[in-house]
DNA sequence: TTGAAAGCGATACCAT
DNA sequence: ATGGTATCGCTTTCAA
């Protein structure tokens, strides 16, 4: 059913009906109520594409999904969707070919120019991120999940990666650890750099020399956690503690230690960063895993809020949010043996 | 830039330009080429919402995401996006409130009636699935990822869950296991029922009595894997083997066995279903995990194809695809002790 | 092979 | 508080 027919059935003009449904103030309460009721009864729904064309708003926000199967993606999306579900705003997922970074830039242009989204969320930014420059140039509102050093104003929501890892590392040092390995995220991402910094600062504050042979970078997979941990543990002297970038990395470290007959929480300490997943919890691991923790789902939900604010005119410069990260100590951390 | 302006710059009518860009046959090759080149040069892109309104097509397909943080969701989405990226079709993600099933039905109606998507993908169907009935009634094209017994024609793509679990169970029986526990997916989903059937049939074929105390249902989480495995392993006599519904479940079972001092691959055998994740691989577990395997990402990609076929008129009854599942034996399966 | 003009189904300005 | 109508930017029929 279209607006015209619906309006006719009510004996009203399309204009009034449209206004009633969109919550404009100049419609009488009585009319509004009747329109709303009849709309439900007769099943009238505005054609979304006509609305979009007429208003120039897409009623959707875009998220670009990397191919490298990040497992936190669905949690972030879940939060986003949860919050946006109450608004009448769609989430558009576009694929991005990690292997072809040029393609990504084209993708963002397409998203922006074609008018299918009102705003975009950018993930895993780099210090000098082309995407941010592009979106700014195109005048497309966007929120960065993470941060960038780029000299372009951008709204962002990030967790305090630096502080989290600094605290985690400091805690290990407090326990007496001196050889602390770090398995970080992909080289070049801002969050990896921040974590590197937190790690180095903690060491430096206690006069511990930074040893590049104890630091690795890569995707957050169980496999890399295992391989890096193995190779670190084969060094002499071996590290007595690990700082891990993700839950999956931690799984790999646990396996590596176990495969070498080392007991986690006694011979090897581990602190990982936990994005909080319903299907894999630090508390349930054996031994339970000490972790820096911040909910990815909450970040998704809050991102939705911030994008909405951006769209309703809140200035970019005001939209900066840095979340503190909890440090939760469990059984996987203890003083090094002999300490 | 709008079509009108662009056409003017070329000295052509909007009509011709539109036809040229949309690949209509009646445009001269020369004109088409020129239009295409200029479009790139001047950066002209049709306003997607005007196209949608004019054609009545949404240029998007909808996916409803459950809240319960399924970790395979992003893999499926990845496959979908990968395949749809080359078409000019968007993916719309809508949140669904698991706790409020009525809401889901409303959600599907909204999706269908508002015209924001041309088709929908339905996940984790039940034998008698309301959503399928609804979409059929509304005349909205849809693909079911999984199957349903409902008496309504529906296109589907599914893996052979029954066969996979039958083979897995049979293999364990062949090895000499008699007390085989099964940690299955959520009660009531078709795939869980199929897996139940595969399990029971395998037992029955070998004259082994079905013991309901060895079967559990629930979400695919590490935690449930652990808890169910613990409670099973505390029985006397305890099961000597497990069939697990997911990788996360398997992680939980590994932990449970380990926490009780039982060695996987010797005292306890495990076969899990593996949807193939980049961040957690059966081969890398210790001991490496025997698994029935089928790529979720491939299913996503193929789903995109099938939806496209549906949209280009292929009859629903023809779109049924049942994928065989590999059984890959690794170190987590062995004859029971003393056998 | 090309073009003119009538939709597509809403919104929002201008009247009343 | 309500209504008439131009408008959003493209597609598509019909005519040339």
């Amino acid at each position: 059913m279209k607006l015209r027919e619906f309006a006719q059935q009510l004996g009203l003009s399309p204009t009034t009906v449209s206004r009633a449904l969109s919550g404009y103030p100049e419609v009488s309460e009585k009319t509004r109520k009747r329109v709303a009721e009849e709309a439900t009864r007769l099943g009238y729904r505005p054609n979304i594409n006509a609305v979009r064309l007429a208003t120039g708003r897409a009623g959707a926000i875009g998220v670009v999904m990397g191919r490298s199967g990040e497992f936190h993606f669905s949690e972030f999306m879940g939060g986003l969707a949860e919050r946006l579900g109450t608004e009448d705003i769609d989430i558009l997922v576009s694929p991005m070919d990690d292997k072809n970074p040029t393609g990504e830039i084209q993708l963002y242009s397409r998203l922006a120019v074609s008018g299918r989204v009102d705003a975009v969320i950018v993930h895993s930014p780099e210090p000098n991120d082309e995407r941010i420059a592009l979106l700014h140039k195109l005048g497309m509102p966007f929120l960065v999940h993470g941060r960038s050093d780029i000299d372009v104003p951008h709204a962002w929501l990030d967790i305090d990666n630096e502080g989290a890892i600094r605290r985690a590392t400091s805690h290990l040092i407090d326990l007496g650890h001196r050889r602390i390995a770090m398995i970080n995220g992909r080289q070049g991402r801002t969050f990896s750099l921040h974590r590197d910094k937190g790690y180095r600062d903690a060491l430096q504050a206690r006069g511990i020399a930074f040893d590049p042979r104890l630091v690795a970078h890569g995707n957050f997979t169980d496999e890399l956690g295992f391989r890096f941990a193995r190779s670190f543990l084969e060094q002499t002297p071996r590290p007595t503690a690990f700082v891990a970038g993700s839950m999956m990395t931690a799984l790999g470290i646990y396996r590596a230690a176990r495969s070498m007959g080392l007991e986690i929480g006694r011979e090897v300490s581990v602190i990982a960063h936990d994005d909080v997943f319903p299907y894999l919890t630090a508390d349930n691991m054996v031994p339970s895993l000490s972790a820096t923790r911040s909910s990815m789902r909450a970040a998704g939900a809050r991102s939705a809020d911030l994008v909405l604010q951006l769209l309703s005119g809140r200035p970019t410069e005001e939209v900066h949010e840095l979340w503190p990260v909890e440090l939760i100590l469990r059984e996987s951390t203890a003083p090094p043996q002999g300490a």
Side-chain angles (χ1 to χ4, degrees), chain A:
Chain A
M1 178 162 28
K2 36 186 83 167
L3 178 57
R4 253 190 128 116
E5 299 162 23
F6 178 56
Q8 227 149 25
Q9 301 221 13
L10 293 186
L12 287 170
S13 75
T15 310
T16 303
V17 173
S18 169
R19 284 199 273 237
L21 255 23
S22 309
Y24 278 59
E26 60 264 61
V27 181
S28 81
E29 211 33 69
K30 199 178 116 198
T31 308
R32 182 193 311 289
K33 196 167 158 240
R34 189 162 72 93
V35 171
E37 276 165 7
E38 291 296 282
T40 322
R41 197 171 66 79
L42 299 174
Y44 167 74
R45 290 217 166 261
N47 175 308
I48 192 74
N49 295 317
V51 174
R52 286 169 172 168
L53 179 57
T55 59
R57 271 175 267 118
I61 77 171
V63 177
V64 176
M65 176 176 47
R67 290 189 40 147
S68 46
E70 300 109 348
F71 51 90
H72 34 250
F73 177 76
S74 46
E75 279 302 294
F76 185 88
M77 289 292 293
L80 202 60
E82 191 178 307
R83 177 66 183 78
L84 250 26
T86 53
E87 313 287 320
D88 201 39
I89 297 202
D90 294 328
I91 302 170
L92 223 76
V93 175
S94 301
M96 151 197 139
D97 193 343
D98 287 342
K99 287 162 196 151
N100 170 18
T102 328
E104 188 178 2
I105 290 297
Q106 288 167 355
L107 178 59
Y108 278 95
S109 322
R110 255 191 41 200
L111 268 183
V113 179
S114 67
R116 50 190 97 207
V117 296
D118 296 317
V120 163
I121 294 182
V122 173
H123 282 281
S124 300
E126 305 186 354
N128 184 6
D129 203 296
E130 270 191 280
R131 301 170 297 177
I132 295 179
L134 175 73
L135 289 168
H136 176 74
K137 201 184 75 190
L138 294 174
M140 156 90 17
F142 65 100
L143 174 76
V144 178
H145 180 215
R147 266 174 291 172
S148 171
D149 290 332
I150 201 169
D151 189 22
V152 159
H154 57 285
W156 53 262
L157 166 63
D158 197 5
I159 62 172
D160 182 11
N161 282 295
E162 183 184 326
I165 299 304
R166 192 191 319 111
R167 276 181 64 200
T169 310
S170 298
H171 176 71
L172 291 168
I173 297 173
D174 288 342
L175 287 174
H177 294 275
R178 289 300 173 266
R179 291 190 64 73
I180 301 171
M182 157 113 136
I183 303 183
N184 201 342
R186 283 180 72 159
Q187 194 78 259
R189 311 289 191 192
T190 310
F191 77 86
S192 292
L193 293 165
H194 285 169
R195 291 181 182 186
D196 276 340
K197 180 156 193 319
Y199 170 79
R200 298 176 79 136
D201 284 359
L203 293 183
Q204 191 171 13
R206 306 295 279 272
I208 302 176
F210 170 78
D211 182 350
R213 289 176 314 154
L214 288 180
V215 175
H217 292 265
N219 281 335
F220 289 145
T221 68
D222 160 83
E223 170 153 11
L224 284 184
F226 179 78
R227 286 194 354 217
F228 286 137
R230 279 291 301 213
S231 81
F232 289 157
L233 289 173
E234 280 160 1
Q235 294 178 19
T236 335
R238 56 173 168 72
T240 59
F242 282 85
V243 176
S246 77
M247 292 292 288
M248 294 300 160
T249 313
L251 284 179
I253 297 175
Y254 270 48
R255 282 199 296 108
R258 212 176 276 127
S259 74
M260 297 175 72
L262 297 168
E263 189 181 334
I264 301 272
R266 217 169 48 88
E267 295 160 291
V268 181
S269 284
V270 180
I271 299 184
H273 181 71
D274 179 6
D275 288 310
V276 188
F277 306 105
Y279 47 83
L280 182 64
T281 60
D283 213 19
N284 286 332
M285 289 174 66
V286 178
S288 62
L289 173 69
S290 296
T292 55
R293 182 171 76 171
S294 186
S295 162
M296 201 68 177
R297 178 171 286 265
R302 182 62 181 155
S303 293
D305 280 330
L306 294 180
V307 168
L308 257 25
Q309 293 180 10
L310 235 35
L311 289 178
S312 51
R314 185 162 176 212
T316 302
E317 312 80 49
E318 284 183 19
V319 181
H320 299 323
E321 219 166 281
L322 184 63
W323 286 12
V325 174
E326 298 176 275
L327 173 59
I328 298 173
L329 298 175
R330 300 195 184 85
E331 301 163 349
S332 68
T333 37
Q337 279 191 313

